[in-house]
Amino acid sequence: MKIEVWSDFVCPFCYMGKRRLEIALEKFEHRDEVELVFKSFELDPSSKKKFDGNIHEIIAKKYGIPVEQAKASNDQLVAQAKDIGLNYNFDDLIPTNTFDAHRVAHYAKTEGKMNELSERILKAYFVDSLNISNHKVLASLAYEVGLNRDKALSILESDQYGEEVRKDEETASKLGISGVPYFVINNKYAVSGAQTPELFLETLEKAREEECKL
């Protein structure tokens, strides 16, 4: 069984959706047969690497709402994340562009470490308050999951794997994916958004049942 996951590293729902899928997989009897593949999706490809102000102020400005309202909304996300064991730290979060993070994730894929690095980058952004567009930070994260730091840094300082990121995004466009997270199971069943573990499990079992009929 193959599960393709379109997501972005600065999307709070993507990290929650990933974790909820993992909770569902823990209860799925055939989890050892599941191949999880992460696909690149940038919420804002034109996003700057450096922003003025914190995430609360940036969101307030983007949506034309008071900063207090933006913070209250983010606090709700923090509470939701905590329910599934994720300790989001929005106050110190460093908003940035994710293109290079996606590129190094594709390098990790060639080494069989894409899932591990994707998890590490998400944690780096939402929990550890690291700058995930900084090449040295990304190379260190790659090293943490068992990849070669110097090779990762060399790749980041080139334009390698940029084409792979764009191909994922083109595929998302062809599939009509306009928001993430977006999960596609066996090229047939789609789950949009950070749904409950129960819904994920139900969809997994449905896909498995169909597989057995083939």
Side-chain angles (χ1 to χ4, degrees):
M1 180 180 292
K2 185 176 183 180
I3 305 175
E4 294 173 301
V5 185
W6 273 267
S7 64
D8 197 5
F9 295 114
V10 294
C11 165
F13 297 104
C14 291
Y15 201 5
M16 285 192 277
K18 177 180 182 293
R19 190 62 84 246
R20 287 171 180 164
L21 170 63
E22 289 165 351
I23 292 168
L25 284 170
E26 286 174 11
K27 298 176 182 177
F28 185 54
E29 288 183 12
H30 307 281
R31 59 185 172 275
D32 293 338
E33 301 167 23
V34 173
E35 178 191 5
L36 200 57
V37 180
F38 287 93
K39 300 284 190 176
S40 300
F41 189 102
E42 293 171 277
L43 289 172
D44 182 6
S46 65
S47 177
K48 298 181 292 184
K49 281 196 170 185
K50 186 174 176 59
F51 287 82
D52 294 323
N54 60 42
I55 190 65
H56 309 305
E57 293 165 343
I58 291 165
I59 289 174
K61 184 177 179 181
K62 182 178 180 179
Y63 294 104
I65 59 176
V67 173
E68 295 76 15
Q69 186 179 337
K71 188 178 187 313
S73 178
N74 287 334
D75 287 345
Q76 288 180 351
L77 287 175
V78 169
Q80 287 179 45
K82 197 159 191 174
D83 284 342
I84 50 173
L86 300 175
N87 296 307
Y88 282 5
N89 178 10
F90 268 74
D91 292 336
D92 299 317
L93 185 147
I94 302 173
T96 191
N97 183 284
T98 59
F99 184 64
D100 287 341
H102 284 294
R103 285 199 301 119
V104 78
H106 275 279
Y107 156 56
K109 184 180 182 181
T110 67
E111 301 287 345
K113 293 280 188 179
M114 193 180 201
N115 294 3
E116 291 88 343
L117 186 57
S118 294
E119 170 69 26
R120 187 63 191 95
I121 295 173
L122 284 162
K123 181 176 182 290
Y125 183 72
F126 285 106
V127 180
D128 300 331
S129 308
L130 297 177
N131 182 348
I132 62 165
S133 66
N134 181 288
H135 289 180
K136 288 183 179 178
V137 169
L138 288 171
S140 292
L141 297 176
Y143 176 76
E144 283 184 34
V145 301
L147 297 169
N148 185 290
R149 187 199 305 265
D150 291 337
K151 186 173 181 181
L153 192 56
S154 174
I155 286 166
L156 286 161
E157 289 173 351
S158 72
D159 61 358
Q160 277 185 272
Y161 299 104
E163 194 175 324
E164 283 77 0
V165 175
R166 296 297 179 229
K167 281 180 181 176
D168 279 355
E169 293 174 339
E170 285 171 18
T171 301
S173 180
K174 287 174 184 175
L175 291 172
I177 300 171
S178 57
V180 288
Y182 195 90
F183 307 80
V184 177
I185 302 171
N186 284 350
N187 294 314
K188 181 172 183 179
Y189 294 97
V191 177
S192 178
Q195 301 295 341
T196 64
E198 290 76 18
L199 189 142
F200 277 120
L201 184 58
E202 182 184 319
T203 310
L204 289 167
E205 288 174 345
K206 190 186 294 182
R208 170 66 184 177
E209 189 178 326
E210 183 171 284
E211 268 187 340
C212 293
K213 290 177 181 176
L214 297 176

